[in-house]
Amino acid sequence: MQKILFVCLGNICRSPLGEGIMLHFIEEKNLENRFQVDSAGTAGYHINEAPDHRTIANAKKNGVDISKLRARKFTPEDFDAFDKIYVMDESNYGNVLALAQNTEHKNKVDYLLNVLHPQQNKHVPDPYYGTEKDFEAVFQLVYKACQKIVETV
Ligand code: 4NP
């Protein structure tokens, strides 16, 4: 069983996609006893809110329902509760690492896109101030990374 947490800034655009796409694969491929997934934001602006309506609409267009997810803030307890903590960009990386209390915690944190491009620390760009095209690009990036995670079980 691998416990994976996806982290972004607000937990309403990028990280809910990681959680929702993984839940989609878990259901499709009956991987319930292989993965446990969740998502969180480093900021608390959107606690208890549903994902951004543009992210919900774009994910739905791509066959993934994320409408029932709700935002929460990342907490230091997440370091013990999860095996892998995948962040979207350098700012998330810095914010999460700042709360790590030991090397074991630090070693759990990685850029999501490093599953596709090891050690390159590529970003999943924040689509919040972007257009539909940016939301689609984010979906495709997160989808490919999740596909890779599922393939490696
Ligand atoms: P996320 O996107 O980190 O992918 O959820 C954002 C959501 C909200 C804000 C920024 C980024 N915000 O400033 O409220």
Side-chain angles (χ1 to χ4, degrees), residues 26-38:
I26 288 165
E27 189 182 351
E28 183 183 82
K29 299 173 190 298
N30 294 313
L31 296 171
E32 286 80 3
N33 45 22
R34 294 301 193 89
F35 293 106
Q36 201 169 303
V37 296
D38 195 4

Side-chain angles (χ1 to χ4, degrees), residues 8-14 45-46 126 128-129:
C8 62
L9 175 62
N11 193 208
I12 57 166
C13 293
R14 294 165 292 174
Y45 317 133
H46 298 284
D126 183 352
Y128 196 64
Y129 296 103

